[in-house]
Amino acid sequence: MPDNVEMEKIVSLCKRRGFIFPSSEIYGGLSSCWDYGPMGVELKRNVKNAWWEAIVQERDDVVGIDTSIMMHPGVWKASGHVDSFTDPLVECKSCHLRWRASEISNEKCPTCSGKLTEPRMFNLMFKTFMGPVEEEASTIYLRPETAQGIFVNFENVLTTSRKKLPLGIAQIGKSFRNEITPGNFIFRTREFEHMELEYFVKPGTDELWFDYWVKERLEWYIKLGIRRGNLRLRQHGKEELAHYAKDCYDIEYLFPKGWSELEGIANRGDYDLTQHAKYSGRDLSYYDSENNERYIPYVIEPSAGVDRSVLALLIDAYHEEVVEGGTRVVLRLQPSLAPMKAAVLPLSKNERLTPLAKKVYAQLCLSFMTCYDDSQSIGRRYRRQDEIGTPFCITIDFQSLEDNLVTIRERDSLAQIRVPIEELEKTLQAKLSGEPFEATPLWATRQK
Ligand code: GAP
Protein backbone atom coordinates (compact mmCIF):
# COMPACT_ATOMS: atom_id res chain seq x y z
CA MET A 1 0.00 0.00 0.00
CA PRO A 2 1.31 3.51 -0.65
CA ASP A 3 2.68 4.97 2.59
CA ASN A 4 1.34 8.40 1.80
CA VAL A 5 -2.26 7.95 0.67
CA GLU A 6 -3.41 10.96 -1.30
CA MET A 7 -6.45 12.74 0.07
CA GLU A 8 -8.09 12.63 -3.40
CA LYS A 9 -8.22 8.83 -3.19
CA ILE A 10 -10.00 8.98 0.16
CA VAL A 11 -12.45 11.65 -1.03
CA SER A 12 -13.18 9.63 -4.16
CA LEU A 13 -13.69 6.36 -2.24
CA CYS A 14 -15.98 8.15 0.21
CA LYS A 15 -18.15 9.48 -2.60
CA ARG A 16 -18.11 6.26 -4.64
CA ARG A 17 -19.07 4.00 -1.77
CA GLY A 18 -21.49 6.19 0.15
CA PHE A 19 -19.35 7.29 3.09
CA ILE A 20 -19.33 11.08 2.65
CA PHE A 21 -20.97 13.43 0.13
CA PRO A 22 -20.62 17.20 -0.34
CA SER A 23 -23.48 18.92 1.49
CA SER A 24 -26.36 20.27 -0.66
CA GLU A 25 -24.57 18.84 -3.70
CA ILE A 26 -27.46 19.32 -6.13
CA TYR A 27 -27.19 23.07 -5.41
CA GLY A 28 -23.45 23.11 -6.02
CA GLY A 29 -22.45 22.24 -2.44
CA LEU A 30 -21.80 24.42 0.60
CA SER A 31 -18.20 25.22 1.43
CA SER A 32 -16.68 22.90 4.04
CA CYS A 33 -19.97 21.14 4.83
CA TRP A 34 -20.29 17.39 4.30
CA ASP A 35 -23.03 14.75 4.63
CA TYR A 36 -22.45 11.21 5.87
CA GLY A 37 -23.99 8.55 3.62
CA PRO A 38 -25.16 5.02 4.51
CA MET A 39 -21.62 3.69 5.09
CA GLY A 40 -20.29 6.88 6.68
CA VAL A 41 -23.07 7.08 9.23
CA GLU A 42 -22.29 3.54 10.41
CA LEU A 43 -18.54 4.20 10.64
CA LYS A 44 -19.14 7.43 12.54
CA ARG A 45 -21.59 5.72 14.92
CA ASN A 46 -19.04 2.96 15.57
CA VAL A 47 -16.31 5.52 16.39
CA LYS A 48 -18.62 7.32 18.81
CA ASN A 49 -19.66 4.02 20.40
CA ALA A 50 -16.00 3.00 20.84
CA TRP A 51 -15.28 6.33 22.57
CA TRP A 52 -18.37 6.07 24.79
CA GLU A 53 -17.52 2.49 25.77
CA ALA A 54 -13.93 3.39 26.72
CA ILE A 55 -14.75 6.68 28.45
CA VAL A 56 -18.15 6.10 30.08
CA GLN A 57 -19.28 2.47 30.01
CA GLU A 58 -16.06 0.85 31.20
CA ARG A 59 -15.33 3.37 33.99
CA ASP A 60 -17.16 4.08 37.22
CA ASP A 61 -15.54 7.51 37.58
CA VAL A 62 -17.17 8.99 34.44
CA VAL A 63 -20.81 9.70 33.61
CA GLY A 64 -22.37 10.98 30.39
CA ILE A 65 -24.48 14.02 29.57
CA ASP A 66 -26.19 15.55 26.52
CA THR A 67 -26.63 19.31 26.74
CA SER A 68 -28.27 21.77 24.36
CA ILE A 69 -26.38 23.46 21.54
CA MET A 70 -27.88 26.87 22.31
CA MET A 71 -27.00 28.22 25.74
CA HIS A 72 -27.47 31.40 27.76
CA PRO A 73 -25.21 34.06 26.15
CA GLY A 74 -23.70 34.72 29.57
CA VAL A 75 -21.99 31.30 29.32
CA TRP A 76 -19.78 32.53 26.48
CA LYS A 77 -18.92 35.79 28.24
CA ALA A 78 -17.86 33.84 31.34
CA SER A 79 -15.95 31.21 29.36
CA GLY A 80 -13.91 33.89 27.58
CA HIS A 81 -15.14 32.90 24.12
CA VAL A 82 -16.78 36.28 23.39
CA ASP A 83 -13.49 38.10 24.04
CA SER A 84 -10.81 35.55 23.24
CA PHE A 85 -12.12 32.97 20.72
CA THR A 86 -10.77 35.08 17.88
CA ASP A 87 -8.33 35.10 15.00
CA PRO A 88 -6.57 38.23 13.67
CA LEU A 89 -7.80 38.92 10.11
CA VAL A 90 -6.97 41.44 7.43
CA GLU A 91 -9.52 42.49 4.79
CA CYS A 92 -8.85 43.45 1.19
CA LYS A 93 -10.08 47.02 0.56
CA SER A 94 -10.91 46.15 -3.09
CA CYS A 95 -12.46 42.65 -3.15
CA HIS A 96 -13.29 42.46 0.60
CA LEU A 97 -11.94 38.94 1.01
CA ARG A 98 -10.59 38.26 4.49
CA TRP A 99 -7.35 36.47 5.31
CA ARG A 100 -5.64 35.26 8.43
CA ALA A 101 -2.98 37.89 9.17
CA SER A 102 -0.43 35.11 9.77
CA GLU A 103 -0.97 33.74 6.23
CA ILE A 104 -0.10 36.97 4.44
CA SER A 105 3.52 37.19 3.39
CA ASN A 106 3.42 40.73 1.87
CA GLU A 107 1.06 43.69 2.26
CA LYS A 108 -1.12 42.76 -0.74
CA CYS A 109 -4.32 40.71 -1.17
CA PRO A 110 -3.33 37.25 -2.53
CA THR A 111 -6.37 37.28 -4.87
CA CYS A 112 -6.44 40.77 -6.44
CA SER A 113 -3.29 42.46 -5.06
CA GLY A 114 -5.53 45.13 -3.45
CA LYS A 115 -4.52 47.01 -0.30
CA LEU A 116 -5.22 45.33 3.03
CA THR A 117 -6.66 46.76 6.26
CA GLU A 118 -4.79 46.55 9.56
CA PRO A 119 -5.42 43.18 11.33
CA ARG A 120 -8.71 43.08 13.26
CA MET A 121 -9.91 40.39 15.67
CA PHE A 122 -12.64 38.18 14.19
CA ASN A 123 -14.77 36.01 16.48
CA LEU A 124 -15.17 32.39 15.37
CA MET A 125 -18.58 31.83 16.99
CA PHE A 126 -21.74 31.73 14.86
CA LYS A 127 -24.28 34.28 16.07
CA THR A 128 -28.01 33.99 15.71
CA PHE A 129 -31.18 35.39 17.34
CA MET A 130 -33.56 33.63 19.67
CA GLY A 131 -37.22 34.55 19.23
CA PRO A 132 -38.85 36.81 16.65
CA VAL A 133 -36.89 40.03 17.29
CA GLU A 134 -33.46 40.42 15.75
CA GLU A 135 -31.86 42.69 18.34
CA GLU A 136 -28.72 42.68 20.46
CA ALA A 137 -30.63 41.48 23.54
CA SER A 138 -31.75 38.27 21.80
CA THR A 139 -28.33 37.36 20.36
CA ILE A 140 -27.21 33.82 21.10
CA TYR A 141 -24.34 31.66 19.82
CA LEU A 142 -24.06 28.15 18.44
CA ARG A 143 -21.65 26.42 20.81
CA PRO A 144 -18.04 26.21 19.59
CA GLU A 145 -17.29 23.40 22.09
CA THR A 146 -19.47 21.01 24.10
CA ALA A 147 -17.33 21.55 27.20
CA GLN A 148 -19.29 24.54 28.52
CA GLY A 149 -22.50 22.48 28.68
CA ILE A 150 -20.60 20.21 31.05
CA PHE A 151 -19.17 23.00 33.27
CA VAL A 152 -22.55 24.67 33.80
CA ASN A 153 -24.02 21.29 34.82
CA PHE A 154 -21.17 20.34 37.17
CA GLU A 155 -23.29 20.97 40.28
CA ASN A 156 -26.35 19.12 38.87
CA VAL A 157 -24.32 16.06 37.93
CA LEU A 158 -22.34 15.99 41.17
CA THR A 159 -25.45 16.04 43.37
CA THR A 160 -27.56 13.64 41.30
CA SER A 161 -24.81 11.07 40.58
CA ARG A 162 -23.69 11.10 44.25
CA LYS A 163 -20.10 10.58 43.09
CA LYS A 164 -16.88 11.91 44.56
CA LEU A 165 -13.85 13.41 42.85
CA PRO A 166 -12.08 12.50 40.67
CA LEU A 167 -15.18 12.57 38.47
CA GLY A 168 -15.45 12.84 34.70
CA ILE A 169 -18.41 14.10 32.68
CA ALA A 170 -18.45 13.11 29.02
CA GLN A 171 -20.39 14.42 26.05
CA ILE A 172 -20.61 13.81 22.30
CA GLY A 173 -22.27 16.46 20.17
CA LYS A 174 -22.13 19.02 17.40
CA SER A 175 -20.01 22.17 17.62
CA PHE A 176 -19.84 25.11 15.24
CA ARG A 177 -16.95 27.41 14.35
CA ASN A 178 -16.85 30.03 11.64
CA GLU A 179 -13.38 28.84 10.61
CA ILE A 180 -11.47 31.21 8.33
CA THR A 181 -9.58 28.50 6.50
CA PRO A 182 -11.63 25.30 6.59
CA GLY A 183 -10.64 22.50 4.24
CA ASN A 184 -8.82 19.26 3.67
CA PHE A 185 -12.10 17.39 3.32
CA ILE A 186 -13.55 16.71 6.80
CA PHE A 187 -10.34 17.74 8.61
CA ARG A 188 -11.52 21.29 9.34
CA THR A 189 -15.18 22.15 8.85
CA ARG A 190 -17.53 24.77 10.23
CA GLU A 191 -19.89 22.18 11.69
CA PHE A 192 -18.36 19.11 13.33
CA GLU A 193 -18.81 16.69 16.20
CA HIS A 194 -16.84 16.76 19.42
CA MET A 195 -16.19 13.90 21.86
CA GLU A 196 -15.21 15.70 25.07
CA LEU A 197 -14.41 14.60 28.58
CA GLU A 198 -14.07 17.07 31.45
CA TYR A 199 -12.31 15.23 34.28
CA PHE A 200 -12.61 17.09 37.61
CA VAL A 201 -9.77 16.51 40.09
CA LYS A 202 -8.32 17.84 43.31
CA PRO A 203 -5.86 20.72 42.68
CA GLY A 204 -2.33 19.41 43.09
CA THR A 205 -3.24 16.03 41.54
CA ASP A 206 -3.92 17.64 38.14
CA GLU A 207 -0.49 17.04 36.62
CA LEU A 208 -0.62 13.32 37.41
CA TRP A 209 -4.09 13.04 35.86
CA PHE A 210 -2.95 15.09 32.88
CA ASP A 211 -0.14 12.58 32.16
CA TYR A 212 -2.57 9.71 32.72
CA TRP A 213 -5.10 11.01 30.17
CA VAL A 214 -2.46 11.80 27.54
CA LYS A 215 -1.33 8.14 27.68
CA GLU A 216 -4.89 6.75 27.81
CA ARG A 217 -6.01 8.72 24.82
CA LEU A 218 -2.97 7.80 22.71
CA GLU A 219 -3.61 4.12 23.55
CA TRP A 220 -7.24 4.45 22.43
CA TYR A 221 -6.24 5.32 18.86
CA ILE A 222 -3.75 2.45 18.79
CA LYS A 223 -6.43 0.04 20.04
CA LEU A 224 -8.70 1.21 17.23
CA GLY A 225 -6.05 0.03 14.80
CA ILE A 226 -4.17 3.22 13.88
CA ARG A 227 -0.49 2.45 13.35
CA ARG A 228 1.71 3.75 16.17
CA GLY A 229 4.19 5.18 13.66
CA ASN A 230 1.47 7.48 12.31
CA LEU A 231 0.76 8.98 15.76
CA ARG A 232 2.84 11.32 17.89
CA LEU A 233 2.49 13.66 20.87
CA ARG A 234 3.31 17.36 20.73
CA GLN A 235 3.29 19.72 23.69
CA HIS A 236 1.97 23.25 23.07
CA GLY A 237 4.39 26.13 23.45
CA LYS A 238 3.31 28.84 25.94
CA GLU A 239 2.37 31.20 23.10
CA GLU A 240 -0.09 28.77 21.45
CA LEU A 241 -1.99 27.72 24.60
CA ALA A 242 -5.74 28.49 24.47
CA HIS A 243 -6.92 31.26 26.80
CA TYR A 244 -8.11 28.70 29.40
CA ALA A 245 -5.20 26.23 29.28
CA LYS A 246 -2.35 25.74 31.74
CA ASP A 247 -0.78 22.98 29.65
CA CYS A 248 -1.78 21.08 26.51
CA TYR A 249 -0.65 18.13 24.42
CA ASP A 250 -1.87 17.38 20.93
CA ILE A 251 -2.11 13.83 19.68
CA GLU A 252 -1.07 14.27 16.07
CA TYR A 253 -1.67 11.99 13.10
CA LEU A 254 0.37 11.86 9.92
CA PHE A 255 -2.34 13.13 7.53
CA PRO A 256 -1.50 13.39 3.80
CA LYS A 257 -0.68 17.10 4.31
CA GLY A 258 1.69 16.25 7.20
CA TRP A 259 1.50 15.95 11.00
CA SER A 260 -1.65 17.63 12.31
CA GLU A 261 -3.80 17.65 15.42
CA LEU A 262 -6.14 14.74 15.97
CA GLU A 263 -7.04 15.45 19.60
CA GLY A 264 -6.07 17.98 22.25
CA ILE A 265 -5.60 17.14 25.93
CA ALA A 266 -5.61 20.29 28.06
CA ASN A 267 -5.15 21.08 31.72
CA ARG A 268 -7.82 23.79 32.10
CA GLY A 269 -6.97 24.36 35.77
CA ASP A 270 -9.87 25.92 37.69
CA TYR A 271 -10.45 28.54 34.97
CA ASP A 272 -13.96 27.51 33.84
CA LEU A 273 -15.60 26.74 37.18
CA THR A 274 -14.13 29.93 38.69
CA GLN A 275 -15.45 32.02 35.80
CA HIS A 276 -18.94 30.46 35.91
CA ALA A 277 -19.10 30.90 39.69
CA LYS A 278 -18.18 34.57 39.23
CA TYR A 279 -20.65 35.29 36.40
CA SER A 280 -23.59 33.19 37.66
CA GLY A 281 -23.20 33.97 41.33
CA ARG A 282 -23.40 30.23 42.19
CA ASP A 283 -20.92 28.53 44.48
CA LEU A 284 -19.30 25.86 42.29
CA SER A 285 -16.76 24.69 44.86
CA TYR A 286 -16.55 21.05 45.91
CA TYR A 287 -16.70 19.84 49.49
CA ASP A 288 -14.16 17.08 50.01
CA SER A 289 -15.65 15.15 52.95
CA GLU A 290 -12.63 12.87 53.36
CA ASN A 291 -10.22 15.76 53.96
CA ASN A 292 -12.85 18.19 55.27
CA GLU A 293 -11.86 20.89 52.80
CA ARG A 294 -13.52 22.92 50.07
CA TYR A 295 -11.95 23.83 46.73
CA ILE A 296 -12.65 24.58 43.08
CA PRO A 297 -11.67 21.42 41.18
CA TYR A 298 -9.12 21.47 38.39
CA VAL A 299 -10.13 20.02 35.03
CA ILE A 300 -8.27 17.77 32.61
CA GLU A 301 -9.91 17.81 29.20
CA PRO A 302 -9.30 15.23 26.46
CA SER A 303 -11.15 16.75 23.49
CA ALA A 304 -11.42 14.76 20.25
CA GLY A 305 -13.15 15.35 16.93
CA VAL A 306 -15.41 12.59 15.60
CA ASP A 307 -14.94 13.64 11.99
CA ARG A 308 -11.17 13.97 12.29
CA SER A 309 -10.99 10.51 13.88
CA VAL A 310 -13.09 9.11 11.02
CA LEU A 311 -10.70 10.70 8.53
CA ALA A 312 -7.58 9.34 10.25
CA LEU A 313 -9.14 5.85 10.46
CA LEU A 314 -10.07 5.89 6.77
CA ILE A 315 -6.58 7.00 5.74
CA ASP A 316 -4.87 4.46 7.98
CA ALA A 317 -7.12 1.61 6.80
CA TYR A 318 -6.80 2.40 3.07
CA HIS A 319 -4.72 -0.19 1.19
CA GLU A 320 -4.11 -0.90 -2.45
CA GLU A 321 -2.71 -4.29 -3.45
CA VAL A 322 -2.31 -6.37 -6.56
CA VAL A 323 -4.54 -9.45 -6.64
CA GLU A 324 -4.84 -11.67 -9.70
CA GLY A 325 -3.21 -9.00 -11.86
CA GLY A 326 -5.63 -6.24 -10.83
CA THR A 327 -5.55 -3.56 -8.12
CA ARG A 328 -7.66 -4.31 -5.09
CA VAL A 329 -8.64 -1.39 -2.85
CA VAL A 330 -9.36 -2.59 0.64
CA LEU A 331 -10.25 -0.78 3.85
CA ARG A 332 -8.62 -2.76 6.64
CA LEU A 333 -10.90 -1.35 9.31
CA GLN A 334 -11.20 -3.23 12.58
CA PRO A 335 -14.38 -5.33 12.58
CA SER A 336 -15.85 -3.22 15.40
CA LEU A 337 -15.52 -0.11 13.21
CA ALA A 338 -16.50 -1.58 9.83
CA PRO A 339 -19.87 -0.22 8.64
CA MET A 340 -21.02 -3.73 7.63
CA LYS A 341 -19.85 -6.79 9.54
CA ALA A 342 -20.97 -9.27 6.88
CA ALA A 343 -22.36 -9.34 3.34
CA VAL A 344 -24.60 -12.12 2.06
CA LEU A 345 -23.86 -12.78 -1.61
CA PRO A 346 -25.75 -15.48 -3.50
CA LEU A 347 -23.59 -16.73 -6.36
CA SER A 348 -26.19 -15.39 -8.79
CA LYS A 349 -29.78 -14.13 -8.88
CA ASN A 350 -30.92 -17.69 -9.65
CA GLU A 351 -34.38 -18.28 -8.19
CA ARG A 352 -33.23 -21.46 -6.46
CA LEU A 353 -30.52 -19.59 -4.52
CA THR A 354 -32.49 -16.49 -3.52
CA PRO A 355 -34.75 -17.98 -0.80
CA LEU A 356 -31.83 -19.57 1.08
CA ALA A 357 -29.69 -16.42 0.75
CA LYS A 358 -32.55 -14.22 2.01
CA LYS A 359 -33.09 -16.61 4.92
CA VAL A 360 -29.40 -16.35 5.89
CA TYR A 361 -29.55 -12.55 5.63
CA ALA A 362 -32.72 -12.35 7.75
CA GLN A 363 -30.99 -14.39 10.44
CA LEU A 364 -27.69 -12.43 10.49
CA CYS A 365 -29.13 -8.91 10.40
CA LEU A 366 -30.71 -9.52 13.80
CA SER A 367 -27.23 -9.77 15.30
CA PHE A 368 -25.11 -7.22 13.39
CA MET A 369 -25.09 -4.87 10.40
CA THR A 370 -25.32 -7.12 7.36
CA CYS A 371 -25.93 -6.29 3.72
CA TYR A 372 -27.42 -8.33 0.92
CA ASP A 373 -26.14 -7.96 -2.62
CA ASP A 374 -27.03 -10.08 -5.65
CA SER A 375 -26.29 -7.67 -8.50
CA GLN A 376 -23.32 -8.06 -10.88
CA SER A 377 -20.61 -10.73 -10.84
CA ILE A 378 -19.43 -12.23 -7.57
CA GLY A 379 -15.92 -10.82 -8.18
CA ARG A 380 -17.23 -7.26 -8.46
CA ARG A 381 -19.36 -7.73 -5.35
CA TYR A 382 -16.31 -8.91 -3.38
CA ARG A 383 -14.41 -5.79 -4.51
CA ARG A 384 -17.29 -3.56 -3.43
CA GLN A 385 -17.29 -5.12 0.03
CA ASP A 386 -13.47 -4.82 0.25
CA GLU A 387 -13.75 -1.11 -0.48
CA ILE A 388 -16.19 -0.51 2.36
CA GLY A 389 -14.18 -2.72 4.69
CA THR A 390 -16.66 -5.57 5.27
CA PRO A 391 -14.68 -8.21 7.20
CA PHE A 392 -16.68 -11.25 5.98
CA CYS A 393 -18.57 -12.18 2.82
CA ILE A 394 -20.89 -15.16 2.87
CA THR A 395 -21.44 -16.89 -0.44
CA ILE A 396 -24.37 -19.17 -1.09
CA ASP A 397 -23.92 -21.49 -4.07
CA PHE A 398 -25.71 -24.49 -5.59
CA GLN A 399 -23.73 -26.85 -3.38
CA SER A 400 -25.24 -25.02 -0.36
CA LEU A 401 -28.68 -26.26 -1.44
CA GLU A 402 -27.37 -29.83 -1.18
CA ASP A 403 -25.15 -29.77 1.92
CA ASN A 404 -26.38 -26.72 3.86
CA LEU A 405 -22.81 -25.32 3.93
CA VAL A 406 -21.93 -21.73 2.97
CA THR A 407 -18.57 -20.09 2.26
CA ILE A 408 -17.13 -17.37 4.47
CA ARG A 409 -14.43 -15.27 2.81
CA GLU A 410 -12.18 -13.13 4.94
CA ARG A 411 -11.44 -9.61 3.68
CA ASP A 412 -7.74 -9.34 4.62
CA SER A 413 -6.32 -12.80 3.89
CA LEU A 414 -8.85 -13.74 1.19
CA ALA A 415 -8.96 -17.17 2.87
CA GLN A 416 -12.23 -19.07 2.68
CA ILE A 417 -13.91 -21.65 4.91
CA ARG A 418 -17.17 -23.53 4.52
CA VAL A 419 -19.46 -23.76 7.54
CA PRO A 420 -22.88 -25.29 8.22
CA ILE A 421 -25.62 -22.64 8.12
CA GLU A 422 -26.66 -23.45 11.67
CA GLU A 423 -23.08 -22.64 12.83
CA LEU A 424 -22.76 -19.47 10.72
CA GLU A 425 -23.83 -16.80 13.18
CA LYS A 426 -21.84 -18.28 16.05
CA THR A 427 -18.75 -18.62 13.82
CA LEU A 428 -19.03 -15.02 12.60
CA GLN A 429 -19.49 -13.70 16.14
CA ALA A 430 -16.29 -15.49 17.18
CA LYS A 431 -14.34 -14.21 14.18
CA LEU A 432 -15.65 -10.64 14.69
CA SER A 433 -14.40 -10.84 18.27
CA GLY A 434 -10.91 -11.70 17.07
CA GLU A 435 -10.78 -15.52 16.81
CA PRO A 436 -8.18 -16.38 14.11
CA PHE A 437 -9.84 -17.08 10.80
CA GLU A 438 -8.33 -20.52 10.33
CA ALA A 439 -9.45 -21.82 13.73
CA THR A 440 -12.04 -24.11 12.17
CA PRO A 441 -9.91 -26.61 10.24
CA LEU A 442 -12.88 -28.95 9.91
CA TRP A 443 -14.30 -26.82 7.12
CA ALA A 444 -11.23 -24.96 6.02
CA THR A 445 -10.11 -24.61 2.44
CA ARG A 446 -7.82 -21.87 1.26
CA GLN A 447 -8.16 -20.10 -2.05
CA LYS A 448 -6.34 -16.95 -3.09
N1 GAP B 1 -12.88 22.06 24.20
C1 GAP B 1 -11.55 22.12 23.69
C2 GAP B 1 -11.50 22.16 22.24
O1 GAP B 1 -12.50 22.31 21.58
P1 GAP B 1 -9.88 22.08 20.19
O2 GAP B 1 -8.43 21.71 20.12
O3 GAP B 1 -10.29 23.38 19.61
O4 GAP B 1 -10.27 21.97 21.73
C3 GAP B 1 -10.59 19.58 19.89
O5 GAP B 1 -10.73 20.93 19.51
C4 GAP B 1 -10.68 18.67 18.69
O6 GAP B 1 -11.88 18.94 17.97
C5 GAP B 1 -9.56 18.85 17.67
O7 GAP B 1 -8.42 18.11 18.04
C6 GAP B 1 -10.21 18.30 16.41
O8 GAP B 1 -10.17 16.88 16.40
C7 GAP B 1 -11.65 18.73 16.59
N2 GAP B 1 -11.90 20.00 15.86
C8 GAP B 1 -11.69 21.25 16.30
N3 GAP B 1 -12.05 22.16 15.36
C9 GAP B 1 -12.49 21.45 14.31
C10 GAP B 1 -13.01 21.80 13.02
N4 GAP B 1 -13.18 23.06 12.65
N5 GAP B 1 -13.38 20.80 12.18
C11 GAP B 1 -13.26 19.49 12.55
N6 GAP B 1 -12.79 19.11 13.74
C12 GAP B 1 -12.40 20.07 14.62
Side-chain angles (χ1 to χ4, degrees):
M1 90 121 208
D3 253 338
N4 50 347
V5 181
E6 296 129 43
M7 190 67 99
E8 293 72 42
K9 288 197 170 171
I10 302 295
V11 177
S12 155
L13 173 76
C14 284
K15 177 81 205 293
R16 190 166 74 242
R17 293 297 177 213
F19 281 91
I20 300 167
F21 310 123
S23 162
S24 332
E25 196 181 7
I26 59 169
Y27 287 94
L30 179 66
S31 162
S32 96
C33 293
W34 301 91
D35 296 340
Y36 285 78
M39 294 305 123
V41 76
E42 294 301 329
L43 173 57
K44 198 180 187 200
R45 217 158 57 91
N46 294 338
V47 171
K48 290 192 276 186
N49 286 346
W51 188 87
W52 199 262
E53 274 165 29
I55 299 290
V56 182
Q57 187 184 321
E58 294 168 9
R59 308 184 60 108
D60 70 353
D61 56 349
V62 178
V63 293
I65 197 170
D66 186 7
T67 70
S68 70
I69 287 172
M70 295 181 287
M71 300 176 74
H72 190 289
V75 168
W76 306 110
K77 288 214 171 64
S79 69
H81 283 83
V82 171
D83 292 331
S84 307
F85 196 55
T86 51
D87 265 349
L89 293 193
V90 291
E91 186 174 319
C92 172
K93 290 181 182 169
S94 307
C95 70
H96 300 289
L97 277 180
R98 287 176 173 172
W99 306 89
R100 260 179 214 269
S102 58
E103 285 173 350
I104 300 293
S105 51
N106 57 33
E107 303 295 288
K108 298 236 163 75
C109 168
T111 302
C112 75
S113 300
K115 280 198 172 166
L116 299 171
T117 61
E118 285 300 305
R120 276 196 302 248
M121 296 315 265
F122 176 81
N123 198 290
L124 299 185
M125 284 195 292
F126 279 99
K127 262 189 198 177
T128 186
F129 300 100
M130 186 166 254
V133 188
E134 295 194 5
E135 57 179 21
E136 196 56 30
S138 54
T139 299
I140 60 158
Y141 302 94
L142 300 186
R143 67 180 178 200
E145 60 173 14
T146 67
Q148 298 304 324
I150 296 178
F151 295 128
V152 301
N153 275 291
F154 173 64
E155 205 188 6
N156 282 335
V157 175
L158 193 66
T159 34
T160 54
S161 66
R162 301 171 64 244
K163 298 224 176 230
K164 294 195 176 352
L165 260 50
L167 169 66
I169 307 178
Q171 165 153 242
I172 300 179
K174 290 255 179 171
S175 291
F176 303 84
R177 296 181 183 180
N178 201 0
E179 298 281 3
I180 313 308
T181 43
N184 270 300
F185 195 28
I186 53 169
F187 179 85
R188 180 170 286 115
T189 51
R190 295 194 170 109
E191 173 182 342
F192 61 96
E193 253 180 302
H194 258 135
M195 304 183 280
E196 298 199 290
L197 167 67
E198 307 303 322
Y199 196 75
F200 299 86
V201 304
K202 183 177 178 180
T205 64
D206 52 308
E207 286 178 15
L208 283 175
W209 282 113
F210 181 63
D211 291 346
Y212 168 86
W213 278 110
V214 170
K215 288 197 194 89
E216 275 294 293
R217 294 302 304 144
L218 180 64
E219 270 312 303
W220 185 75
Y221 290 102
I222 297 167
K223 272 196 212 135
L224 285 194
I226 295 191
R227 281 161 289 177
R228 179 65 184 89
N230 287 342
L231 292 164
R232 73 175 188 192
L233 292 171
R234 188 182 68 81
Q235 189 172 19
H236 280 207
K238 288 273 169 277
E239 68 299 337
E240 62 174 320
L241 285 175
H243 62 274
Y244 49 73
K246 197 178 141 193
D247 199 354
C248 186
Y249 268 95
D250 281 348
I251 298 177
E252 294 189 331
Y253 178 73
L254 188 53
F255 287 96
K257 66 173 179 143
W259 289 101
S260 304
E261 176 184 346
L262 183 55
E263 165 163 352
I265 299 119
N267 182 345
R268 293 180 80 127
D270 61 3
Y271 176 83
D272 301 273
L273 288 182
T274 304
Q275 287 293 101
H276 286 304
K278 190 166 130 198
Y279 278 71
S280 68
R282 292 287 279 265
D283 177 8
L284 297 180
S285 64
Y286 170 76
Y287 177 63
D288 180 341
S289 54
E290 268 163 40
N291 301 302
N292 192 24
E293 54 182 331
R294 189 168 273 286
Y295 49 78
I296 301 273
Y298 272 32
V299 175
I300 307 304
E301 178 196 62
S303 172
V306 179
D307 314 78
R308 221 173 269 184
S309 300
V310 165
L311 182 58
L313 285 160
L314 283 169
I315 294 168
D316 224 72
Y318 184 95
H319 285 71
E320 281 177 16
E321 56 193 34
V322 176
V323 175
E324 291 160 5
T327 301
R328 172 172 99 120
V329 172
V330 55
L331 276 188
R332 293 194 198 279
L333 287 168
Q334 245 181 36
S336 65
L337 296 175
M340 294 292 149
K341 312 303 175 198
V344 176
L345 314 175
L347 195 61
S348 70
K349 274 189 175 156
N350 185 288
E351 60 186 21
R352 286 177 57 219
L353 295 178
T354 306
L356 182 61
K358 287 255 155 104
K359 198 172 132 204
V360 169
Y361 168 75
Q363 182 201 350
L364 295 184
C365 71
L366 297 177
S367 302
F368 34 74
M369 288 303 298
T370 310
C371 63
Y372 182 91
D373 187 1
D374 62 4
S375 60
Q376 297 184 311
S377 75
I378 191 77
R380 289 187 132 191
R381 282 181 276 156
Y382 281 148
R383 295 287 174 269
R384 209 152 47 215
Q385 295 304 324
D386 289 342
E387 288 202 356
I388 61 171
T390 307
F392 301 109
C393 289
I394 292 99
T395 317
I396 285 106
D397 54 24
F398 291 101
Q399 188 63 33
S400 309
L401 300 174
E402 309 295 322
D403 59 13
N404 246 2
L405 297 180
V406 293
T407 304
I408 308 179
R409 166 201 184 261
E410 195 207 18
R411 176 194 72 197
D412 294 345
S413 65
L414 297 175
Q416 303 193 357
I417 55 175
R418 276 183 80 80
V419 301
I421 290 174
E422 65 271 22
E423 298 284 331
L424 179 62
E425 198 217 320
K426 209 169 75 191
T427 308
L428 285 172
Q429 291 282 20
K431 307 293 176 206
L432 287 166
S433 315
E435 183 184 277
F437 192 67
E438 290 171 301
T440 41
L442 186 59
W443 307 299
T445 59
R446 193 178 170 85
Q447 297 172 10
K448 276 260 173 179

